[in-house]
């Protein structure tokens, strides 16, 4: 009998970081009701927390990385050209989740993610089976401080190339999965993280990547014998 390998437990630090990322959505009151009594009934309708949990897990995990790994991870996630052109610099990238900015006529505006580096600002709006609200990106562009240098719409398509003169870059979750898959095959400090993101997205309908039709099994003589042998045919009088 083949000996089973002993289970491999992740380091405690990895577990702490993983829980910290996911729990931030709860701490920001984005999914707090999910953990309350009766949440199973409430989950069938109203606002669902998947979008906020994904935002927290993905961007929260980057915020916990060493500083020299954050920029490569963000480039893999949002696109290298977007980061290089609109968030240049060598300083630390500040990652704020659901920051609130005041806007005339409204209590506040709350982008999903705001990235800031050397007085440059990049707004990221995350969508997961959801559509943009009316003037949602417009309100964010007009409210963030410092002024946004670009907007990334992650998980939703948009035909516009700019919002109030600020460049807009739609990016699908499938593109993220492909980019993370490539990064996972390279030897780098973000390869493990990229593999985790790619494997997660592969299990979802929004991030699954088509890899072609599976090749037929050619080396299965017992199947050939069973399905195509005359003795298994209904035309065989001895069957």
């Amino acid at each position: 009998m083949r000996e089973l390998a002993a289970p491999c437990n992740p380091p405690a630090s990895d577990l702490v970081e993983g829980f910290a990322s996911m729990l931030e959505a709860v701490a920001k009151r984005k999914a707090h009701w999910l953990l309350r009594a009766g949440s199973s009934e409430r989950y069938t309708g109203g606002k669902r927390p998947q979008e906020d949990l994904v935002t927290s897990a993905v961007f929260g995990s980057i915020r916990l990385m060493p500083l020299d790994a954050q920029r490569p991870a963000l480039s893999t996630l949002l696109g290298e050209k977007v980061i290089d052109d609109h968030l240049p610099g060598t300083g630390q990238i500040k990652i704020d989740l659901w920051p609130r900015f005041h806007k005339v006529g409204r209590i506040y505006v709350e982008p999903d993610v705001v990235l800031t580096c050397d007085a440059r600002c990049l707004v990221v709006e995350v969508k997961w089976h959801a559509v943009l609200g009316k003037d949602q990106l417009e309100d964010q562009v007009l409210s963030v401080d410092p002024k946004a240098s670009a907007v990334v719409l992650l998980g939703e398509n948009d035909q516009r190339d700019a919002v109030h003169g600020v460049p807009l870059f739609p990016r699908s979750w499938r593109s993220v999965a492909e980019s993370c898959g490539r990064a996972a095959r390279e030897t780098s400090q973000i390869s493990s993280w990229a593999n985790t993101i790619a494997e997660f997205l592969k299990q979802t309908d929004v991030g699954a990547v088509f890899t072609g039709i599976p090749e037929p099994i050619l080396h299965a003589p017992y199947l050939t014998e069973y399905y195509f042998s005359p003795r298994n045919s209904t035309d065989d009088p001895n069957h």
Side-chain angles (χ1 to χ4, degrees):
M1 178 181 295
R2 186 177 60 180
E3 184 178 355
L4 297 177
C8 179
N9 296 320
S13 59
D14 291 349
L15 293 175
V16 170
E17 291 183 356
F19 281 122
S21 299
M22 295 299 294
L23 289 177
E24 181 159 357
V26 178
K28 291 278 189 173
R29 298 181 62 82
K30 289 295 176 180
H32 59 292
W33 58 266
L34 187 62
L35 302 180
R36 289 180 177 173
S39 62
S40 58
E41 290 80 12
R42 295 184 61 189
Y43 191 77
T44 58
K47 178 174 172 57
R48 300 190 178 208
Q50 298 99 317
E51 182 176 291
D52 298 318
L53 290 173
V54 170
T55 301
S56 182
V58 173
F59 287 93
S61 62
I62 296 176
R63 192 162 60 178
L64 294 169
M65 290 180 177
L67 297 184
D68 58 348
Q70 292 180 358
R71 185 172 289 272
L74 289 169
S75 296
T76 300
L77 180 65
L78 303 178
E80 185 174 357
K81 182 174 176 57
V82 172
I83 296 299
D84 288 348
D85 291 352
H86 299 282
L87 204 66
T90 58
Q92 178 182 358
I93 298 177
K94 183 182 179 184
I95 303 174
D96 286 322
L97 303 184
W98 307 294
R100 292 184 175 184
F101 300 93
H102 291 284
K103 178 182 182 296
V104 176
R106 291 185 58 179
I107 299 176
Y108 60 84
V109 174
E110 188 181 73
D112 288 322
V113 185
V114 172
L115 308 175
T116 309
C117 181
D118 296 341
R120 300 287 293 273
C121 173
L122 183 67
V123 175
V124 182
E125 181 60 29
V126 180
K127 291 300 175 186
W128 190 277
H129 285 306
V131 296
L132 279 171
K134 185 178 184 298
D135 298 328
Q136 186 173 4
L137 295 183
E138 288 81 356
D139 288 344
Q140 293 178 10
V141 166
L142 294 175
S143 302
V144 296
D145 183 29
K147 177 178 171 58
S149 59
V151 178
V152 177
L153 180 55
L154 186 57
E156 178 71 11
N157 193 23
D158 196 305
Q159 300 301 320
R160 297 172 294 177
D161 57 10
V163 177
H164 285 305
V166 176
L168 172 63
F169 299 93
R171 184 166 172 83
S172 70
W173 284 112
R174 287 184 174 86
S175 297
V176 174
E178 292 172 348
S179 181
C180 286
R182 290 191 296 269
R185 292 188 291 271
E186 300 173 355
T187 302
S188 71
Q189 55 190 337
I190 69 166
S191 57
S192 178
W193 169 86
N195 182 68
T196 299
I197 301 297
E199 290 300 315
F200 159 70
L201 290 172
K202 281 169 56 177
Q203 303 303 318
T204 69
D205 57 344
V206 299
V209 178
F210 178 71
T211 57
I213 300 174
E215 296 184 2
I217 300 175
L218 300 179
H219 303 289
Y222 59 91
L223 292 178
T224 304
E225 179 182 356
Y226 181 82
Y227 287 107
F228 300 103
S229 173
R231 66 173 178 269
N232 289 312
S233 170
T234 55
D235 295 331
D236 185 2
N238 298 320
H239 181 68

